[in-house]
Amino acid sequence: MRKLALLLLAVSAAYIGICAQCPRENTAFKAGETLTYDLYFNWKFIWVKCGAAHYTMRAATYQGQPALRNDLLFTSNKRCDLLFTMRDTLISYITPQLVPLYFRKGALEGKHYTVDEVWYTYPHGRSHVEQHFLNRHGQWSEHHHESDECNYDMLSILSLARTFNTADYRVGQRIHFPMATGKKVEQQTLVYRGKEDFEANDNNIYRCLVFSLLDYEVQGKDKELLRFYVTDDTRHIPVRIDFYLRFGTAKAFLNSSDQN
């Protein structure tokens, strides 16, 4: 995705804006969380174990302010590399109150490498989103977006969803939000699918809340980008994530978890 010079707004102005809109109470997770997943890929109707995914949450600073850093790394194994190489690295900085600050996704998928990079600032109570995108041909583009609502990305929306109280949710309930993709900000949707039992690869059975992330709606048709299962408890640990990719479907099943 991209790397270009960014005009940094004053930190004080940014945090005035943050206080005005996006903060949420975080009761689900804290720094020190490490989750490991087994990664599977659907190849001609056969599910093949093709690598691993690692998710970490740690304390950090961003522009001198306390923050949480999320890292999600997907790595295909040698067997899968013969068919399709996958090296995706996602990084997200959020405030302790879950306000997005920065996001980057570097993706090597097959023979193509792309980068999405997003900076969030909040001057005068508005959300400003600066995006840089590196396409598969090595060409950079820049995009600016501003609005009165909070914008998210793939990792920060996952963190936010872990704090949802679904006691009053109905199956099929839709939660609309704007998401930065690196190329633009799109209106996308989370759908609450209800509850399911799922046996993870750590041999435990979890009662899960299930959500789908949809692409923006075109002519009444929904395109599912991913589906994730989080435990129906106070931590809301993601124990399964299904990714619907251009070249097929990948699934990540929880193998181990650790909370320092």
Side-chain angles (χ1 to χ4, degrees):
M1 300 144 192
R2 73 249 67 175
K3 182 181 179 183
L4 294 173
L6 175 70
L7 177 63
L8 298 177
L9 299 171
V11 172
S12 59
Y15 276 77
I16 290 173
I18 288 175
C19 294
Q21 48 179 335
C22 301
R24 302 291 184 95
E25 182 181 5
N26 173 22
T27 59
F29 54 84
K30 60 183 180 179
E33 183 177 71
T34 300
L35 307 174
T36 302
Y37 300 84
D38 294 325
L39 188 63
Y40 298 85
F41 179 66
N42 184 254
W43 180 258
K44 295 183 179 181
F45 307 106
I46 299 175
W47 284 102
V48 178
K49 186 175 180 180
C50 62
H54 302 275
Y55 174 84
T56 59
M57 173 82 67
R58 53 182 169 169
T61 58
Y62 183 84
Q63 296 184 3
Q65 301 292 328
L68 292 171
R69 172 171 169 162
N70 299 267
D71 290 82
L72 182 57
L73 173 66
F74 295 93
T75 306
S76 56
N77 56 28
K78 293 182 180 179
R79 179 184 180 186
C80 190
D81 283 346
L82 295 175
L83 303 173
F84 190 90
T85 300
M86 186 175 181
R87 301 285 191 278
D88 287 6
T89 302
L90 288 75
I91 300 170
S92 171
Y93 284 86
I94 57 177
T95 72
Q97 295 77 37
L98 311 183
V99 179
L101 298 171
Y102 173 77
F103 172 76
R104 186 184 190 278
K105 177 185 175 184
L108 175 62
E109 297 177 353
K111 298 180 180 179
H112 302 294
Y113 182 71
T114 59
V115 178
D116 300 282
E117 199 160 15
V118 183
W119 292 264
Y120 304 90
T121 52
Y122 304 86
H124 312 297
R126 287 177 61 81
S127 175
H128 288 237
V129 183
E130 302 291 343
Q131 303 180 80
H132 295 159
F133 176 68
L134 175 69
N135 66 22
R136 62 177 64 182
H137 305 295
Q139 300 167 327
W140 288 98
S141 59
E142 300 181 50
H143 309 271
H144 173 79
H145 174 84
E146 59 182 270
S147 66
D148 291 323
E149 55 187 339
C150 206
N151 299 278
Y152 294 92
D153 50 71
M154 291 182 68
L155 275 187
S156 59
I157 194 61
L158 177 59
S159 297
L160 179 66
R162 291 182 66 182
T163 69
F164 287 165
N165 182 352
T166 61
D168 297 324
Y169 281 21
R170 65 183 186 280
V171 176
Q173 182 163 336
R174 296 188 170 217
I175 305 141
H176 298 280
F177 66 96
M179 190 172 83
T181 66
K183 293 177 285 188
K184 56 184 174 180
V185 173
E186 297 176 343
Q187 291 297 322
Q188 295 184 325
T189 305
L190 277 178
V191 180
Y192 175 56
R193 301 293 186 185
K195 298 182 181 182
E196 293 183 23
D197 291 333
F198 172 69
E199 183 175 1
N201 283 17
D202 63 356
N203 297 319
N204 291 314
I205 297 176
Y206 298 93
R207 186 63 169 168
C208 297
L209 308 172
V210 185
F211 293 90
S212 289
L213 173 64
L214 303 182
D215 202 346
Y216 60 93
E217 300 169 345
V218 179
Q219 298 180 349
K221 296 182 180 180
D222 295 335
K223 178 182 178 182
E224 191 170 19
L225 296 176
L226 61 87
R227 181 173 295 202
F228 53 92
Y229 298 64
V230 298
T231 54
D232 186 17
D233 55 21
T234 56
R235 289 184 63 188
H236 295 314
I237 299 172
V239 297
R240 170 178 170 179
I241 308 174
D242 298 351
F243 301 88
Y244 302 99
L245 309 170
R246 291 190 303 272
F247 53 87
T249 302
K251 296 179 183 290
F253 293 164
L254 182 70
N255 178 279
S256 65
S257 62
D258 181 45
Q259 177 72 66
N260 294 333

